[in-house]
Amino acid sequence: MASGNVAVGMIFLPQTVVGVLGNFSLLLHYLSVHCTGGRLRSTDVIVKHLVIANFLSLLCKGVPQTMAAFGLRYFLNAIGCKLVFYLHRVGRGVSIGTTCLLSVFQVITISPRKPRWAKLKEKAPRHVGFSVLLCWLLCVLVNVIFPISVTAKWNYTNIRGSKDLGYCSRRGHNESTDTPFVILLSFPDVLCLGLMLWASSSMVCILHRHKQRVRHIRRSDLSPRASPETRATQSILFLVSTFVSSYILSCLVQICITLPDNPNSLLVNTAGFINLCFPTLSPFVLMSCDPNVYRLCFAWKR
């Protein structure tokens, strides 16, 4: 085994383990709430599905990527490759969808009490479950076409133009089918990114106006602690910025992989590392907020 592969494996292994443990801590919180008869808030429901999507990404991308880095490159057959890539794409899609839902729901929650927002404030909590279910359904349907081009490594070993993805292979370019394929898969991502950027800018504006209005109150307040709504909004803004930055980097690296017929293994591993950054970091971003102030962010409980 080459020393370079060992180094790559030693990067993927702790990244995957830390991500699984972080998401598992949030999952334990939900189980404890369920067992004690507690009630989950609307934001809790969204975060719960985000945790499940993170698990799919980490198990279907991080685990096989780690195994391939340590030399186990032929452990998946054609069906296994298609299933692993499909579940990873579904998890990735649900991750961006639930993050988008979380940011939009939060901007509705902290929006000013005006008539145009009043109806949304009242209806939004009732439609959270349906929105999350719709997100899963769309990701399951849209990504059905993704495994078509993926198979086991030994199936494409002698085919010209095939791409080595570490533990699986993908067929070469076909402009007549690749263009609509890319557009179909990219449209939901672009739509969610646009909504997240709108929601984030709206939250920043709302918080700024709120800060200006209560400035005279803050001067007489000896406590420097921010309000629960402000802390929760800042946490979501940090979560969204983490996702957007990792997503943009992932897209740039993915373009570098798609253009050449035989992409460099360094680019393939870099793309895998970037793809795993958000599901690894997101639970710790959520837990960074004080759970006693706002139940959106959790920590271990006795």
Side-chain angles (χ1 to χ4, degrees):
M1 187 187 303
S3 58
N5 292 335
V6 176
V8 172
M10 293 305 296
I11 293 175
F12 280 115
L13 181 60
Q15 184 186 33
T16 303
V17 171
V18 169
V20 168
L21 290 177
N23 286 281
F24 186 66
S25 65
L26 293 183
L27 185 60
L28 280 183
H29 171 82
Y30 290 119
L31 291 176
S32 66
V33 171
H34 177 74
C35 293
T36 56
R39 181 182 177 185
L40 294 178
R41 297 183 181 183
S42 299
T43 47
D44 299 341
V45 175
I46 300 175
V47 175
K48 180 177 66 175
H49 287 271
L50 175 60
V51 170
I52 297 173
N54 287 341
F55 267 119
L56 275 180
S57 297
L58 289 167
L59 295 179
C60 297
K61 186 71 174 179
V63 173
Q65 198 91 37
T66 302
M67 295 174 67
F70 282 117
L72 300 174
R73 292 177 172 268
Y74 298 96
F75 58 93
L76 289 174
N77 56 17
I79 297 177
C81 279
K82 293 179 184 296
L83 182 63
V84 165
F85 267 79
Y86 175 67
L87 292 178
H88 167 65
R89 290 292 306 186
V90 171
R92 179 182 177 277
V94 174
S95 180
I96 184 175
T98 50
T99 306
C100 178
L101 281 175
L102 192 62
S103 59
V104 171
F105 184 84
Q106 185 64 17
V107 75
I108 294 174
T109 301
I110 68 171
S111 59
R113 297 183 178 276
K114 294 182 179 180
R116 63 178 180 177
W117 290 102
K119 292 184 178 180
L120 283 176
K121 283 176 175 289
E122 180 183 355
K123 294 181 179 180
R126 298 200 299 264
H127 295 288
V128 166
F130 173 76
S131 300
V132 173
L133 180 61
L134 182 62
C135 178
W136 276 100
L137 183 61
L138 289 176
C139 292
V140 167
L141 294 177
V142 169
N143 289 286
V144 166
I145 63 175
F146 190 81
I148 295 176
S149 61
V150 178
T151 189
K153 289 192 66 172
W154 56 75
N155 286 8
Y156 278 168
T157 301
N158 298 321
I159 298 179
R160 184 178 181 182
S162 63
K163 295 180 182 293
D164 184 1
L165 300 179
Y167 50 92
C168 292
S169 296
R170 187 174 63 189
R171 62 174 174 79
H173 295 287
N174 186 349
E175 294 183 0
S176 60
T177 58
D178 284 355
T179 301
F181 179 79
V182 171
I183 293 175
L184 177 63
L185 292 178
S186 300
F187 178 74
D189 292 357
V190 173
L191 179 62
C192 288
L193 281 175
L195 287 173
M196 279 191 283
L197 292 175
W198 167 80
S200 300
S201 59
S202 298
M203 283 189 281
V204 170
C205 293
I206 292 172
L207 288 178
H208 178 72
R209 289 196 296 266
H210 176 72
K211 184 178 180 180
Q212 295 296 323
R213 286 196 300 267
V214 301
R215 178 178 296 177
H216 64 284
I217 301 176
R218 294 284 179 85
R219 289 174 182 174
S220 59
D221 189 3
L222 298 178
S223 176
R225 194 178 186 85
S227 65
E229 294 81 4
T230 300
R231 289 173 62 88
T233 303
Q234 290 172 348
S235 177
I236 293 175
L237 286 172
F238 188 27
L239 184 73
V240 170
S241 62
T242 303
F243 182 88
V244 172
S245 59
S246 63
Y247 180 83
I248 293 175
L249 286 174
S250 176
C251 289
L252 293 176
V253 176
Q254 197 64 41
I255 292 174
C256 297
I257 294 176
T258 304
L259 292 178
D261 291 333
N262 188 19
N264 192 310
S265 60
L266 178 61
L267 287 175
V268 175
N269 292 325
T270 302
F273 175 80
I274 296 174
N275 284 331
L276 294 175
C277 281
F278 180 75
T280 300
L281 295 176
S282 59
F284 299 99
V285 174
L286 293 168
M287 288 188 292
S288 65
C289 188
D290 188 353
N292 295 322
V293 175
Y294 196 70
R295 288 189 59 197
L296 172 66
C297 306
F298 307 113
W300 289 95
K301 291 185 176 182
R302 293 184 180 180

